[in-house]
């Protein structure tokens, strides 16, 4: 074996033109760090762990890339003057992570055992061991369950006002929901939209009083009480939203350019329920600096963060978790 000018290892054939016997294809299952999940938090954690020379595996799940894979334009991720499509951003980050030396396997984790180190992470076909774990499994926005949500996802149906609000300047919009998220999204969207139709299934908001007061005082926000969204209609992009009155069943149609669904998020933490501390809504409880209730298990991104929920903050948390993991492995 010798090294080439490019640093790559080459096999030198010293025999009689015969290739050396190939080694059995052993699958590597032990790593310094195992990262579960491959959104901005997971990939960024991978980049930082690998650059710290920690042998790092990302188990990405079967649909890697996280929520950005279902987004179109991303205008608020620094470094892209003209924005970038969500899936392209995630492909770029993945390639960058692989280039740093992180092993990425597109397999789904079905069980974990965090009782002892090394921690065990199981997929349907393999058992992996890691001296430290970073959980980056994210959260999913709850959906209304309408066909139009799929048809017009990224074409007028959105789950993030901060991400997509600026695309709807001077348009009428629907916001569905009655909690803090819905009110926050509606209030934020008044910066861009001409009118916000806030559609709530009851006649009382769940949101905190102070946020309610702000929304009631805002002339751009119109409230539609006891209404559910029945249908999203469009032609290439959203054009109409049909509402149903929960008391009379009467249907009304709003002509709008988009709908923001803000009926809560579900963190992807079922796997960890008996292993680490979760709060009432299932979010991972952090003790300090991305550390969970189990020493050596860290979390980053929307799986613990219900407040910011941005790609850039998730990436930031991924970086923080990786730095903490490196420190933890050095000390232990
Ligand atoms: P949430 O508090 O669970 O509220 C969800 C809202 O959506 C409720 O009004 C609910 O109606 C409605 N809803 C749920 N499923 C629905 C469906 N299938 N169809 C129609 N409507 C539906 O969720 P969230 O607003 O995302 O807030 C989550 C947590 O984060 C809360 O603790 C909240 O206080 C916090 N948060 C805080 C801030 C802030 O302080 N700035 C901002 C955002 C979120 P019902 O009321 O009838 O159940």
């Amino acid at each position: 074996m010798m090294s080439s000018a490019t640093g790559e290892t080459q096999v030198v054939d010293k025999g009689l033109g015969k290739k050396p016997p190939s080694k059995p294809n052993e699958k590597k299952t032990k790593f310094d760090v195992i990262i579960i999940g491959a959104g901005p938090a997971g990939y960024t954690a991978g980049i930082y762990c690998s650059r710290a020379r920690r042998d790092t595996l990302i188990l990405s799940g079967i649909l890697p890339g996280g929520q950005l894979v279902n987004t179109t334009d991303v205008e608020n991720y620094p470094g892209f003057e003209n924005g970038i499509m969500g899936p392209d951003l995630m492909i770029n980050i993945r390639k960058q992570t692989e280039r740093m030396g992180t092993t990425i396997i597109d397999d789904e984790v079905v069980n974990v055992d965090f009782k002892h180190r090394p921690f065990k992470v199981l997929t349907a076909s393999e058992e992996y061991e890691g001296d430290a774990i970073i959980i980056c499994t994210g959260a999913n926005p709850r959906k209304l369950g309408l066909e139009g949500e799929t048809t017009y996802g990224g074409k007028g149906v959105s789950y993030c006002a901060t991400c997509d609000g600026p695309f709807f300047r001077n348009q009428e919009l629907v916001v569905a929901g009655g909690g803090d998220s819905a009110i926050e999204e509606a209030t934020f969207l008044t910066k861009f939209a001409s009118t916000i139709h806030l559609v709530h299934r009851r006649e009382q908001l769940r949101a905190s009083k102070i946020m309610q007061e702000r929304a009631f005082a805002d002339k751009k926000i119109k409230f539609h009480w006891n209404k559910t969204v029945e249908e999203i209609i469009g032609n290439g992009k959203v054009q109409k939203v049909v509402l149903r009155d929960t008391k009379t069943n009467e249907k009304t149609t709003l002509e709008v350019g988009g709908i923001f669904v803000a009926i809560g998020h579900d963190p992807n933490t079922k796997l960890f329920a008996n292993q680490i501390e979760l709060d009432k809504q299932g979010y991972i409880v952090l003790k300090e600096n991305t550390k969970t209730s189990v020493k050596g298990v860290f979390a980053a991104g929307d799986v613990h963060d219900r407040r910011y929920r941005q790609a850039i903050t998730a990436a930031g948390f991924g970086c923080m978790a990786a730095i903490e993991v490196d420190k933890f492995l050095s000390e232990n």
Side-chain angles (χ1 to χ4, degrees):
M1 307 273 263
M2 62 173 287
S3 285
S4 71
T6 60
E8 285 169 4
T9 305
Q10 292 181 330
V11 175
V12 178
D13 183 3
K14 291 185 193 161
L16 304 167
K18 285 181 192 166
K19 285 184 182 169
S22 57
K23 282 183 186 170
N25 196 12
E26 259 182 45
K27 195 167 179 187
K28 186 173 158 54
T29 55
K30 290 191 176 174
F31 291 84
D32 296 333
V33 191
I34 298 180
I35 297 166
I36 307 174
Y43 285 142
T44 307
I47 291 169
Y48 274 78
C49 286
S50 292
R51 291 192 83 244
R53 296 289 178 258
R54 300 294 179 188
D55 197 6
T56 305
L57 168 68
I58 293 181
L59 288 166
S60 71
I62 38 180
L63 289 172
Q67 291 179 57
L68 280 188
V69 168
N70 301 317
T71 320
T72 51
D73 287 291
V74 178
E75 280 189 331
N76 54 5
Y77 200 91
F80 302 94
E81 186 186 358
N82 300 310
I84 182 168
M85 298 300 274
D88 292 342
L89 175 61
M90 295 322 297
I91 290 168
N92 286 355
I93 302 180
R94 181 184 175 110
K95 285 184 186 161
Q96 183 183 2
T97 310
E98 280 172 327
R99 195 170 71 79
M100 293 301 152
T102 308
T103 303
I104 303 176
I105 298 178
D106 293 331
D107 204 353
E108 194 171 18
V109 175
V110 295
N111 208 350
V112 294
D113 184 352
F114 295 159
K115 282 187 208 81
H116 312 282
R117 281 179 70 212
F119 303 116
K120 289 186 174 46
V121 180
L122 285 84
T123 68
S125 58
E126 204 62 72
E127 181 178 304
Y128 297 94
E129 283 183 355
D131 281 323
I133 303 285
I134 307 178
I135 302 172
C136 304
T137 46
N140 291 326
R142 280 185 209 136
K143 302 205 167 174
L144 294 164
L146 301 171
E147 205 183 309
E149 278 180 291
T150 316
T151 312
Y152 301 111
K155 295 169 191 155
V157 176
S158 173
Y159 300 87
C160 175
T162 314
C163 317
D164 299 331
F167 298 119
F168 294 90
R169 281 175 205 278
N170 303 319
Q171 298 189 39
E172 294 202 18
L173 295 172
V174 164
V175 172
D180 280 330
S181 293
I183 298 304
E184 198 170 61
E185 302 269 275
T187 307
F188 178 78
L189 287 168
T190 57
K191 288 184 196 172
F192 312 101
S194 55
T195 304
I196 309 294
H197 299 276
L198 192 123
V199 176
H200 184 37
R201 63 183 177 185
R202 294 186 293 132
E203 54 201 358
Q204 225 176 11
L205 295 172
R206 181 180 291 277
S208 55
K209 285 283 179 289
I210 186 157
M211 290 178 75
Q212 291 193 28
E213 283 164 16
R214 252 178 244 152
F216 289 143
D218 196 320
K219 291 199 174 76
K220 275 192 173 181
I221 304 177
K222 292 190 174 151
F223 290 85
H224 299 260
W225 303 111
N226 300 315
K227 302 275 192 298
T228 55
V229 177
E230 191 78 355
E231 201 182 348
I232 300 166
I233 300 171
N235 185 3
K237 61 186 185 65
V238 171
Q239 290 173 327
K240 292 174 188 173
V241 168
V242 180
L243 308 183
R244 183 178 61 80
D245 191 296
T246 54
K247 295 193 166 161
T248 63
N249 272 333
E250 188 192 337
K251 286 189 184 175
T252 47
T253 301
L254 296 170
E255 297 205 359
V256 293
I259 168 167
F260 285 76
V261 181
I263 59 173
H265 283 73
D266 293 317
N268 296 316
T269 52
K270 273 194 196 120
L271 274 177
F272 315 112
N274 300 317
Q275 304 278 335
I276 55 173
E277 189 182 340
L278 306 178
D279 71 13
K280 274 185 200 155
Q281 277 88 35
Y283 285 88
I284 292 176
V285 175
L286 293 188
K287 298 298 166 187
E288 56 162 351
N289 304 334
T290 73
K291 294 172 186 164
T292 72
S293 57
V294 174
K295 212 174 157 200
V297 178
F298 299 74
D302 289 13
V303 75
H304 68 79
D305 166 38
R306 68 178 70 213
R307 186 172 175 83
Y308 301 107
R309 294 191 193 121
Q310 300 301 301
I312 187 68
T313 50
F317 281 123
C319 156
M320 286 158 63
I323 291 171
E324 293 299 330
V325 160
D326 187 41
K327 197 162 169 277
F328 169 80
L329 291 175
S330 298
E331 288 167 0
N332 293 272

